[in-house]
Amino acid sequence: MSSIRLFRLLGVDVKAHWTFVFLPLFFGFFYGASYGAAVGFRAFVLVILVFVCVLGHELTHSLRAKAFGIRVPQITLYPIGGVASMQRIPRDPRQEFLIAIVGPLFNFMLAALLYFPLLWLLGRDNFFSPSLDSWPRTFANAFWINPILGFFNLIPAFPMDGGRVLRAILATRMTYLRATRISANLGTLFAILFFLLGIWWRHGMLALIAIFIYTAASSEKNQVQFEEFLEHRWEDDGPKKG
Ligand SMILES: [Zn+2]
């Protein structure tokens, strides 16, 4: 039992990997011990707010998939992000494109919707100085997470949503396997780049994200290769067959 079921929302089970449950507490205690209890509590709340943004993102993917008749039994939240488990990944490029693109769009739209109300409520100084120094700056912090989530997920490489968008576009002019390989290889390339940057900047979280991207990119490639193998589709560079 590695995941805990939190609640059910719009027909989807929302689960959290056990490491995710410790994340708000970990950050709360870490910042609390370093900068005092008030900062620790704001760090705890910030992690919860990020959780809400990630959940909204995954729910948008899920609802779009459901509209195409794809069953989405659950969303699992991991410390580095969420995963909506779909019963199948559509082989129709148009469907995959739409399911992938709505996630980042959710974060951009949420940011667009909250921009002026929060600017007015928090004040210009706080809004443009996200930190944990005060409550207004903590809310600003949560706001800026959204465009970051949106842009990060649009990186055109697996396992980011942008990788699925790229595969969908490529799959209209080449085989699915070849499109997956290109997108997954780009994922490996970005993973190496992020890992090196993580070491260069001494940014542990970035190095960790890099390892996650690397693993996910390879597993997506293997998964599709295995499916193609089962379907006896050997001609991965030839023209698409019906
Ligand atoms: Zn997404």
Side-chain angles (χ1 to χ4, degrees):
M1 187 68 187
S2 53
S3 298
I4 297 137
R5 185 173 174 271
L6 300 176
F7 47 79
R8 198 173 163 80
L9 193 60
L10 301 166
V12 183
D13 274 337
V14 178
K15 295 182 176 179
H17 193 255
W18 67 270
T19 49
F20 189 91
V21 179
F22 283 108
L23 202 70
L25 293 173
F26 172 77
F27 272 95
F29 279 119
F30 179 77
Y31 279 93
S34 311
Y35 305 103
V39 176
F41 184 53
R42 285 195 287 268
F44 175 83
V45 172
L46 177 64
V47 177
I48 305 279
L49 290 174
V50 172
F51 157 95
V52 174
C53 298
V54 171
L55 181 61
H57 174 112
E58 295 305 327
L59 263 179
T60 327
H61 285 310
S62 309
L63 294 180
R64 197 71 202 88
K66 276 167 161 253
F68 286 130
I70 297 162
R71 228 164 53 79
V72 186
Q74 64 187 52
I75 289 171
T76 313
L77 296 157
Y78 294 90
I80 344 202
V83 175
S85 310
M86 293 176 197
Q87 159 212 22
R88 63 187 168 85
I89 303 286
R91 286 290 180 101
D92 175 355
R94 199 186 74 92
Q95 288 190 359
E96 181 171 40
F97 176 87
L98 287 172
I99 293 171
I101 200 87
V102 291
L105 280 184
F106 167 82
N107 295 109
F108 287 132
M109 278 169 68
L110 187 66
L113 221 68
L114 292 177
Y115 188 90
F116 288 108
L118 280 180
L119 183 63
W120 180 71
L121 271 171
L122 305 176
R124 184 167 282 272
D125 282 354
N126 291 321
F127 188 69
F128 291 109
S129 308
S131 72
L132 292 168
D133 294 345
S134 65
W135 280 110
R137 290 186 176 196
T138 304
F139 289 124
N141 216 333
F143 169 85
W144 288 108
I145 290 290
N146 283 289
I148 291 171
L149 276 175
F151 280 117
F152 179 78
N153 273 296
L154 280 184
I155 293 173
F158 266 128
M160 277 72 73
D161 295 326
R164 294 189 188 283
V165 169
L166 177 69
R167 172 169 69 183
I169 293 168
L170 292 177
T172 58
R173 60 203 72 195
M174 61 180 77
T175 62
Y176 191 74
L177 182 60
R178 185 148 183 217
T180 303
R181 273 200 193 136
I182 292 175
S183 200
N185 287 341
L186 279 172
T188 311
L189 208 69
F190 271 101
I192 293 167
L193 183 74
F194 287 161
F195 190 75
L196 292 176
L197 282 178
I199 289 171
W200 183 258
W201 292 337
R202 301 190 179 187
H203 200 300
M205 192 64 183
L206 192 61
L208 207 73
I209 289 173
I211 295 168
F212 169 76
I213 292 173
Y214 185 88
T215 318
S218 336
S219 90
E220 181 77 27
K221 200 159 62 170
N222 291 339
Q223 164 97 22
V224 171
Q225 251 157 0
F226 182 64
E227 280 170 17
E228 298 275 324
F229 173 76
L230 290 183
E231 287 170 18
H232 295 285
R233 284 179 161 198
W234 295 96
E235 58 286 275
D236 53 280
D237 289 308
K240 216 173 197 172
K241 291 187 179 172

